[in-house]
Amino acid sequence: MKGRHTASSRRNVLEQKLKNAKLAWENKCFNVDSFQGNEQAYILISIHRADKLGFLANLRRLNVMLSRCKRGMVICTSRAFMEGKARSSLVGQLAKEWEDGRVSWRDTLRGRF
């Protein structure tokens, strides 16, 4: 998903990839605001920002994002973003604390996580 995409277009791409992989995809992809009030055992979060913090600068929206999992959460983002523009955000601060919990996309593709 290279280039500039809206949250809605990224959601559509993710849903299509789940569908193509013959995985359950209905009601599986949400943006932070539409997931408010819901919970799941495990949540995958994609943080894709190029130039601005967006919702990461809003603590109420971050609370929704970080408090919806019952058992575990995986945040997918770039290290450059977390160490750059997002370093002052709550998620950037968490990334500093959990540095040993990071896994590169190359290791993920090789099944090393």
Side-chain angles (χ1 to χ4, degrees):
M1 290 190 288
K2 293 182 180 182
R4 206 156 196 34
H5 296 280
T6 65
S8 177
S9 68
R10 285 192 308 274
R11 177 182 172 181
N12 291 340
V13 169
L14 289 171
E15 286 179 340
Q16 190 60 51
K17 288 186 180 286
L18 289 169
K19 188 176 179 182
N20 292 346
K22 301 193 184 325
L23 297 170
W25 61 275
E26 297 92 348
N27 298 315
K28 299 292 182 190
C29 296
F30 299 88
N31 65 34
V32 171
D33 298 316
S34 66
F35 200 66
Q36 189 167 354
N38 293 312
E39 286 185 325
Q40 287 293 321
Y42 296 94
I43 295 179
L44 300 174
I45 297 170
S46 173
I47 299 175
H48 176 85
R49 302 298 304 183
D51 52 357
K52 299 177 186 173
L53 285 180
F55 77 91
L56 296 177
N58 184 313
L59 291 178
R60 284 183 274 194
R61 292 176 81 195
L62 276 177
N63 179 57
V64 171
M65 182 185 89
L66 296 172
S67 63
R68 302 300 145 186
C69 64
K70 296 177 185 177
R71 302 193 69 196
M73 173 189 309
V74 174
I75 298 175
C76 303
T77 188
S78 77
R79 182 177 295 214
F81 179 67
M82 285 292 108
E83 292 174 351
K85 293 198 183 275
R87 74 178 167 268
S88 63
S89 72
L90 177 59
V91 175
Q93 296 298 310
L94 290 171
K96 287 180 195 173
E97 294 296 320
W98 294 329
E99 190 164 337
D100 62 334
R102 293 181 181 176
V103 178
S104 78
W105 64 270
R106 287 179 184 94
D107 285 342
T108 303
L109 290 176
R110 292 180 185 126
R112 297 184 202 151
F113 47 90

